Amino acid sequence: MSSVHSEPAQRLVCAGRSVDLSRPRVMGILNVTPDSFSDGGRYFADIDRARAHAEAMIAAGADFIDIGGESTRPGAAPVGVSEELDRVVPVVEMVASEFDVIVSVDTSKPEVMRESARVGAGLLNDVRALQESGALAAAAETGLPVCLMHMQGAPGSMQNSPHYDDVVAEVLVFLRARIAACETAGIERSRIIADPGFGFGKTPEHNLQLLNRMAMLQSLNCPILAGLSRKSLLGAITGRPVEQRGVASAVAAALAVHGGARIIRSHDVAETVDAVKVAWATTREALDG
Ligand code: 8Y7
């Protein structure tokens, strides 16, 4: 597609750092939850292990590190503000001060957004798309870019019986409304990333429709983030348990990039970087860039 070659640079300004999203980037996942389904709490209350994990993901090519202290897995216990602050803020501060990387904070809480911004976070990643009370205003105050994700229902019950007449159309309607709400709150479009929310209130078929029709999200006119890493969709397709979904995750990442995603959220950064390179070279029909 020759139009791809003439696209202008899309710079996302993340606090002190900026990143060019005219090519795709990888976001490494650093969980600081004691109950996260695939990391099993290995990084909880363990700053040295968090540092080593961040360092390894950056060496493997991550441009973002996404730090989260609330598990959104179905049935996970809700986390209070002070506990989430205690889990997340020291790790955000450590990664932001010690590494040349953009720190994304995975939170829905205004207090965690503010404190994380104060200690060096560069991006706010909210699976609730800034719908919690005070979140829009807090995000606007920080001046940081935001990732708005679609979810049907709430984490505890979202997988009970997801229903859509047209999942792609409904995700688009939701994301357009959240983008408009951000703009009204003073968050300019140049600071907004959109995400269809794979696995959040979706059946395997819904997720497959979204992945196969990712290109339709380009109509939002903002960079798209896709998170498929190790998700149950890949287990449903391959029959593999979570620790054996690396190949499936890399293939899904490539398909998302081919569909236009510019940030891929992943547990397995090295494999994802290669998958993204293959998909991007194919999309561009060129080796460079
Ligand atoms: C996503 C996410 C999770 C995603 C964005 C998991 C925090 C579940 N998934 N954030 N977070 N997009 N933006 O399996 O797909 O990693 S948590």
Side-chain angles (χ1 to χ4, degrees):
M1 277 204 308
S2 60
S3 63
V4 172
H5 297 262
S6 55
E7 257 180 33
Q10 278 179 275
R11 285 211 92 77
L12 191 70
V13 180
C14 303
R17 291 184 173 82
S18 86
V19 61
D20 179 6
L21 291 180
S22 61
R23 68 175 177 88
R25 305 284 173 169
V26 174
M27 169 183 279
I29 300 169
L30 183 56
N31 285 316
V32 290
T33 58
D35 55 0
S36 167
F37 83 89
S38 56
D39 277 326
R42 282 185 287 146
Y43 300 98
F44 180 54
D46 191 339
I47 199 100
D48 293 324
R49 297 192 75 152
R51 180 184 292 107
H53 191 198
E55 187 170 27
M57 291 195 289
I58 294 160
D63 287 300
F64 298 85
I65 298 290
D66 190 40
I67 298 171
E70 181 212 13
S71 175
T72 43
R73 143 192 179 193
V79 180
V81 177
S82 63
E83 189 177 351
E84 197 177 320
L85 284 168
D86 289 348
R87 287 181 189 178
V88 167
V89 176
V91 181
V92 169
E93 183 163 30
M94 180 275 291
V95 177
S97 63
E98 296 185 23
F99 298 101
D100 182 20
V101 73
I102 296 166
V103 176
S104 163
V105 58
D106 155 22
T107 189
S108 300
K109 295 187 177 70
E111 298 85 350
V112 178
M113 294 177 188
R114 283 203 191 84
E115 280 304 293
S116 297
R118 196 178 59 76
V119 300
L123 174 66
L124 304 174
N125 175 29
D126 185 4
V127 299
R128 295 176 182 82
L130 304 177
Q131 294 178 104
E132 296 290 285
S133 174
L136 261 180
E141 257 174 54
T142 67
L144 295 177
V146 299
C147 179
L148 305 173
M149 198 196 78
H150 174 272
M151 164 163 47
Q152 184 178 84
S157 56
M158 66 190 177
Q159 290 307 110
N160 292 353
S161 54
H163 173 82
Y164 302 84
D165 291 322
D166 179 337
V167 67
V168 178
E170 289 169 47
V171 165
L172 278 170
V173 165
F174 172 84
L175 290 173
R176 272 194 206 102
R178 295 313 298 158
I179 291 166
C182 281
E183 291 185 308
T184 302
I187 304 170
E188 316 89 87
R189 188 168 280 262
S190 64
R191 288 204 274 134
I192 300 172
I193 297 164
D195 181 339
F198 289 104
F200 285 84
K202 283 132 190 143
T203 63
E205 291 74 19
H206 295 141
N207 289 309
L208 290 168
Q209 287 169 13
L210 284 165
L211 182 55
N212 196 39
R213 302 176 202 175
M214 281 283 291
M216 293 186 70
L217 301 180
Q218 298 297 314
S219 68
L220 295 171
N221 285 317
C222 53
I224 303 301
L225 185 151
L228 288 142
S229 186
R230 301 182 185 173
K231 284 189 176 173
S232 63
L233 165 68
L234 305 175
I237 296 170
T238 63
R240 292 188 183 277
V242 72
E243 68 279 5
Q244 292 174 17
R245 294 177 190 161
V247 174
S249 297
V251 173
L255 290 166
V257 167
H258 198 249
R262 290 296 167 81
I263 304 176
I264 301 296
R265 186 176 176 278
S266 171
H267 299 88
D268 306 294
V269 172
E271 294 85 341
T272 305
V273 165
D274 280 2
V276 164
K277 283 180 178 169
V278 173
W280 183 237
T282 305
T283 305
R284 302 233 326 154
E285 303 175 8
L287 290 179
D288 55 330

